[in-house]
């Protein structure tokens, strides 16, 4: 079973625990500027939305890379950047339609979400359940359920 | 580690910006943030200096845990000499600015001197620019942040700025960061304005490291779990700090109409339930809760005003979401001035954020002006034709805007209650300590809190001591000096760590110790931390003594010492300050005239001062 990150923006408080957990895992420091997941705030903080790579099955970044530095982890399904192969040409950052692979000037390589090898630290750190790591087949289950209730009404208890 | 070990020193007179090493000898004695900034302030200026003059020093200070994964790690403090009080000012804020300053590589930003023309600081890691502020001077906090992000094409900039209130010397102007978080009290924004410094915009990519990441993360995980489980934390998340208004109403400690009463008949119209209720028109005041950097509590409120409300019916620009009511704002714009219109309170709250001034001191000053108006001392001729009767929501919203823009009677309100009431010949009407207005706890009903107000180094302030639990159990002053003194020392330490006081809903000193000890070099024991807290308190005191603030200023307004509480659980009580204060001085190791004795100074390693 593959799992994927599920994001429920309605629960996000914009605390950035996820950004710190991500940067600690990948750089050894608390450094939101180097986080691969980002929180975006709208309307003076009335809405905060986490956003990161969704691990496309046919990944633009992987196909665009001229040195084959990006490969698919067959266990987690994550597209991973091999830093020793990456030459920092940034073609993948142009190819990605979502902007979720980015160049890191500190080391001259690109960085993207790699699902932390199957135990994503962002989900572990999130205090509100806005980011969870769930069965990839059913990422829409809770949302479908809530819409089912909103469309047809919750049954009254007997 | 924890610390970045670097200070950015900007001299606006000379136009210079230089990085220097953090004084680690001092950091080991004073930790960071509030405490370490107090030491820097004391060593870098004459306490007698004019707070609005170029010799005052303005310090933006982070703590060793700021910008780490500890819960609530977004705190920074602005430390300077305050113009409202003439005492040391230490105002603490959350949001994301403090952590960003740390990520740029600096523990502290020290601002000296005064720029010839309005400027702002643009800091991106090692690149520091002092730039002309022509296009933002005279504009709001909200506009300033938007303009700077757009001008520098950097949406990741974090901005701390002043509004017109700070530029024009409203004596309780604050520094606002991230639109609606503020270093709110004692007029630190007025000092920034006096230096012609409009804003500090910062972006950092350097990250923060800790001494022992494995042990640190274990402590972080355990302390976060404690918060998660805590009932106090849950209340803060769900109801915000305004949950306090119902407690104070029930107890009878909610200052109402300039301390005429301690219970307010309109409380249920401005309490958390009112914020959550959907009205017949489908409008609900509260939109969501929001966290500061790193915070797993998220007590912040995001609210909006009913678009048919008189304040905004013709002003679509305020049909926005923004920072909503927290307890002190709800108290100061509600009971204290007798207003029960939640939209009017929310609008006034928007004004304080947008124009940058302290809602507590504004509410306290407006309440005093209302009393003067009811007495007939001032009339509509003085107040730009506005009826300043208690309970008039228009008086609140119009004066909130005038004060923010420093226009008309707003200029008088900008003086604070002490100066305003002296001007009109009725100093007894001003409810303040050392010139600063009260937070929402009546000193006659909450005796220990009252002692804390009287002895706070920055004037009446609820955030420097916590005798709340003891006060709720017993309405007398008996046994209060000890928990007052102990909590002052404990909180001085917490305020110096980079974390938020509200974590004490679940944490004791041990929880702070675990995180500080894993993050910072050296061995940090509970004793060492608490002694640092006591040292900080005493150094603040020494600063004040040298500034001319003495034992005679450790007092409360006559009304709290002589007029009994009319209702509630403490009915009939006045403040027991006269009996508590000598015991407090003795516990502190101070002389009868409130000065640290030689032995006390020696015990705390403060021999060179005092």
């Amino acid at each position: 079973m593959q799992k994927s990150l599920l994001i429920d923006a309605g629960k996000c408080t914009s605390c950035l625990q996820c950004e710190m957990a991500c940067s600690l895992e990948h750089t050894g420091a608390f450094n939101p500027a180097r986080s691969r997941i980002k929180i975006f705030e709208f309307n003076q903080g009335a809405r905060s939305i986490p956003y990161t790579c969704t691990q496309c099955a046919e990944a633009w970044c992987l196909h665009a890379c001229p040195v084959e530095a990006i490969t698919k982890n067959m266990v987690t399904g994550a597209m991973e950047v091999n830093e020793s192969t990456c030459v920092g040409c940034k073609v993948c950052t142009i190819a990605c339609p979502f902007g979720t692979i980015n160049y890191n000037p500190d080391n001259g390589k690109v960085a993207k979400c790699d699902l932390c090898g199957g135990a994503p630290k962002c989900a572990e750190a999130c205090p509100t359940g806005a980011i969870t790591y769930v069965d990839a087949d059913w990422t829409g289950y809770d949302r479908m359920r809530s819409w089912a209730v909103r469309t047809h009404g919750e049954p009254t208890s007997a | 580690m924890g610390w970045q070990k670097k200070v950015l020193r900007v001299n606006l007179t000379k136009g210079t910006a230089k990085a220097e090493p953090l004084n680690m000898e001092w950091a080991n004695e004073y930790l960071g943030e509030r405490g370490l900034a107090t030491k820097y302030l004391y060593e870098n200026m004459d306490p007698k200096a004019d707070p609005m003059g170029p010799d005052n020093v303005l310090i933006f200070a982070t703590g060793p845990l700021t910008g780490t994964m500890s819960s609530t790690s977004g705190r920074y403090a602005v430390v300077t000499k305050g113009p409202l009080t003439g005492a040391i000012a230490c105002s603490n804020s959350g949001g994301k600015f403090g952590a960003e300053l740390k990520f740029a590589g600096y523990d502290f930003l020290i601002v000296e001197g005064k720029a010839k023309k309005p400027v702002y600081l643009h800091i991106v890691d090692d690149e520091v620019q002092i730039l002309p502020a022509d296009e933002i001077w005279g504009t709001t906090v909200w506009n300033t942040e938007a303009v700077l992000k757009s001008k520098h094409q950097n949406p990741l900039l974090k901005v701390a700025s002043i509004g017109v209130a700070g530029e024009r010397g409203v004596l309780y102007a604050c520094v606002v960061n991230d639109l609606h978080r503020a270093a709110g009290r004692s007029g630190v924004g007025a000092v920034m304005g006096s230096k012609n410094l409009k804003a500090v915009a910062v972006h950092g990519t350097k990250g923060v490291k800790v001494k022992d990441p494995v042990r640190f993360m274990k402590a972080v995980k355990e302390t976060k779990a404690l918060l998660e489980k805590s009932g106090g934390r849950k209340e803060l998340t769900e109801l915000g700090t305004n949950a306090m208004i119902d407690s104070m109403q029930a107890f009878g400690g909610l200052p109402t109409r300039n301390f005429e009463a301690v219970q307010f008949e309109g409380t249920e119209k401005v309490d958390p339930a009112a914020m959550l209720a959907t009205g017949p028109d489908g409008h609900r005041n509260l939109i969501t809760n929001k966290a500061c950097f790193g915070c797993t509590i998220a007590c912040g409120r995001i609210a909006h005003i009913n678009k048919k409300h008189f304040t905004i019916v013709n002003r679509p620009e305020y049909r926005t979401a923004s920072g909503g009511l927290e307890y002190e704002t709800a108290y100061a714009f509600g009971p204290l001035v007798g207003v029960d219109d939640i939209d009017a309170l929310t609008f006034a709250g928007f004004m304080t954020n947008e124009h940058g001034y302290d809602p507590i001191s504004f509410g306290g000053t407006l309440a005093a002006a209302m009393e003067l108006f009811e007495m007939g001392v001032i009339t509509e001729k003085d107040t730009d034709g506005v009826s300043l009767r208690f309970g008039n929501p228009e008086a609140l919203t119009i004066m909130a805007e005038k004060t923010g823009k420093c226009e008309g009677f707003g200029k008088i309100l900008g003086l604070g209650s002490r100066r305003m009431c002296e001007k009109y010949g009725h100093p007894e009407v001003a409810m303040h300590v050392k010139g600063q207005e009260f937070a929402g706890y009546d000193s006659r009903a909450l005796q220990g809190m009252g002692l804390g107000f009287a002895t706070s180094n920055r004037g009446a302030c609820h955030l420097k001591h916590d005798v709340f639990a003891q006060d709720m159990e017993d309405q007398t002053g008996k046994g209060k000096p000890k928990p007052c003194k102990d909590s002052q020392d404990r909180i001085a330490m917490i305020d110096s760590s980079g974390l938020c006081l509200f974590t004490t809903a679940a944490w004791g000193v041990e929880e702070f110790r675990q995180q500080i000890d894993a993050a910072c070099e050296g061995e940090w024991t509970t004793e060492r931390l608490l002694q640092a807290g006591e040292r900080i308190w005493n150094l603040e005191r020494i600063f004040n003594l040298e500034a001319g603030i003495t034992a005679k200023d450790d007092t409360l307004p006559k009304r709290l010492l002589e007029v009994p509480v009319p209702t509630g659980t403490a009915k009939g009580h006045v403040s027991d300050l006269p009996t508590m204060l000598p015991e407090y001085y003795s516990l502190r190791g101070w002389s009868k005239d409130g000065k640290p004795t030689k032995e006390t100074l020696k015990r705390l390693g403060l021999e060179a001062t005092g």
Side-chain angles (χ1 to χ4, degrees), chain B residues 144-197:
Chain B
T144 297
E145 178 163 332
V147 167
L148 293 183
K149 283 179 172 176
S150 160
K151 182 179 170 186
H152 292 284
Q153 297 181 356
N154 187 351
L156 297 173
L157 273 181
K158 301 290 180 272
V159 179
S161 67
I162 55 168
V164 170
E167 294 174 15
R168 299 194 189 163
V170 168
L171 290 175
Y172 45 82
C174 48
V175 177
V176 183
N177 58 277
D178 304 286
L179 302 177
H180 34 67
R181 307 309 308 181
R185 303 219 70 194
S186 313
V188 297
V191 175
M192 191 159 156
S194 76
K195 298 192 170 304
N196 269 332
L197 178 61

Side-chain angles (χ1 to χ4, degrees), chain B residues 237-550:
Chain B
T237 306
E238 290 172 3
L239 305 178
T241 58
N242 199 19
M244 186 60 84
I245 204 164
D246 292 318
S247 306
M248 281 300 101
Q249 170 73 11
F251 187 73
L254 181 62
T256 299
R257 288 181 288 272
N258 206 29
F259 293 74
E260 170 212 84
V262 292
Q263 288 172 313
F264 176 50
E265 61 283 359
T267 294
E268 64 182 27
K269 292 186 184 167
V270 296
D271 73 357
M275 291 169 74
L276 282 161
T278 305
D281 55 356
H283 179 85
R284 188 178 95 159
N285 180 266
L286 186 74
I287 297 175
T288 186
N289 66 325
K290 184 166 186 294
C292 293
F293 185 92
C295 176
T296 61
I297 303 172
C299 73
R301 305 288 102 177
I302 301 293
H304 59 163
I305 301 162
N306 189 334
K307 56 180 182 289
K308 292 182 186 140
H309 191 257
F310 75 85
T311 47
I312 67 163
V313 68
N314 294 317
R315 302 178 79 177
E317 68 272 28
Y318 291 107
R319 289 176 198 164
T320 173
S322 194
L325 297 174
E326 48 89 42
Y327 173 58
E328 298 304 339
T329 314
Y331 136 78
F333 297 170
L336 191 60
V337 293
V339 175
D340 64 4
D341 174 345
I342 196 168
D343 287 306
L345 268 64
T346 306
F347 178 82
F350 282 15
M351 290 294 112
T352 63
N353 288 329
E354 189 185 17
H355 301 297
Y357 61 96
D358 171 20
I360 306 179
S361 281
F362 168 72
T365 308
L366 180 62
M370 285 176 159
E371 186 169 330
L372 293 173
F373 190 90
E374 303 263 0
M375 288 162 71
V377 174
I378 57 173
T379 68
E380 289 183 10
K381 279 184 194 150
D382 302 289
T383 62
D384 312 329
V386 180
S387 168
L388 286 200
R389 295 251 172 236
F390 281 116
N392 178 6
E394 285 193 319
L396 169 67
T397 58
I398 292 170
M399 289 306 157
E401 187 155 6
K402 281 178 180 281
T403 300
K405 294 177 175 172
C406 224
E407 290 171 356
F409 191 65
K411 274 186 219 162
I412 307 292
L413 290 168
L415 295 170
S417 62
R418 176 169 65 179
R419 287 173 178 84
M420 179 187 73
C421 291
E422 275 168 6
K423 175 180 153 67
Y424 293 116
H426 284 275
E428 78 285 359
V429 171
M431 299 299 289
H432 70 91
V433 174
K434 302 181 175 85
Q436 178 156 286
E437 291 73 13
F438 285 89
Y441 309 92
D442 195 293
S443 302
R444 297 165 290 189
L446 295 110
Q447 298 282 346
M449 294 300 282
L451 175 62
F453 285 136
T455 56
S456 164
N457 290 317
R458 71 166 181 176
C461 164
H462 60 299
L463 293 170
K464 308 292 188 204
H465 60 291
D466 179 3
V467 201
F468 195 75
Q470 294 87 343
D471 280 344
M472 294 294 272
E473 276 168 21
D474 168 31
Q475 286 87 334
T476 75
K478 213 173 161 192
K480 301 294 169 63
K482 179 84 167 79
C484 181
K485 181 253 177 202
D486 288 350
S487 64
Q488 286 174 336
D489 294 345
R490 188 172 67 242
I491 289 170
M493 177 278 286
I494 294 170
D495 282 350
S496 303
S497 68
L499 304 187
C500 176
L501 187 53
F502 292 171
T503 54
T504 56
W507 298 355
V509 177
E510 172 57 20
E511 280 68 36
F512 291 94
R513 188 204 66 77
Q514 288 170 9
Q515 297 177 80
I516 293 167
D517 189 55
C520 303
E521 280 110 329
E523 190 186 348
W524 292 86
T525 61
T526 302
E527 295 71 34
R528 182 177 170 191
L529 286 169
L530 290 177
Q531 197 184 47
E534 188 178 4
R535 183 178 300 121
I536 292 160
W537 191 272
N538 277 272
L539 187 59
E540 289 176 341
R541 179 77 176 185
I542 290 162
F543 183 99
N544 280 354
L545 287 166
E546 291 184 23
I549 310 267
T550 62

Side-chain angles (χ1 to χ4, degrees), chain B residues 205-216:
Chain B
T205 69
K206 295 191 177 213
V208 172
K209 289 187 175 179
V210 291
K211 178 180 71 179
D212 183 342
V214 173
R215 187 153 60 90
F216 182 74

Side-chain angles (χ1 to χ4, degrees), chain A residues 10 12-18 20-21 24 27-34 38 41 43-48 106 121 124-127, chain B residues 67-71 96 103 142 179-180 204-210 216-217 224 288 290-296 298 302 320-322:
Chain A
C12 178
T13 61
S14 189
C15 73
L16 308 194
Q17 282 274 335
C18 56
M20 282 188 285
L24 179 69
T27 72
F30 302 108
N31 191 357
R34 296 287 170 261
K38 289 273 172 218
E41 282 183 26
N43 193 11
Q44 291 219 12
R47 193 143 171 84
S48 303
D106 292 348
K121 301 296 178 192
E124 195 183 296
C126 179
Chain B
T68 69
M69 221 162 130
S70 291
S71 186
K96 299 194 165 87
F103 295 139
W142 294 353
L179 302 177
H180 34 67
T205 69
K206 295 191 177 213
V208 172
K209 289 187 175 179
V210 291
F216 182 74
M217 287 308 292
K224 273 167 67 180
T288 186
K290 184 166 186 294
C292 293
F293 185 92
C295 176
T296 61
I302 301 293
T320 173
S322 194

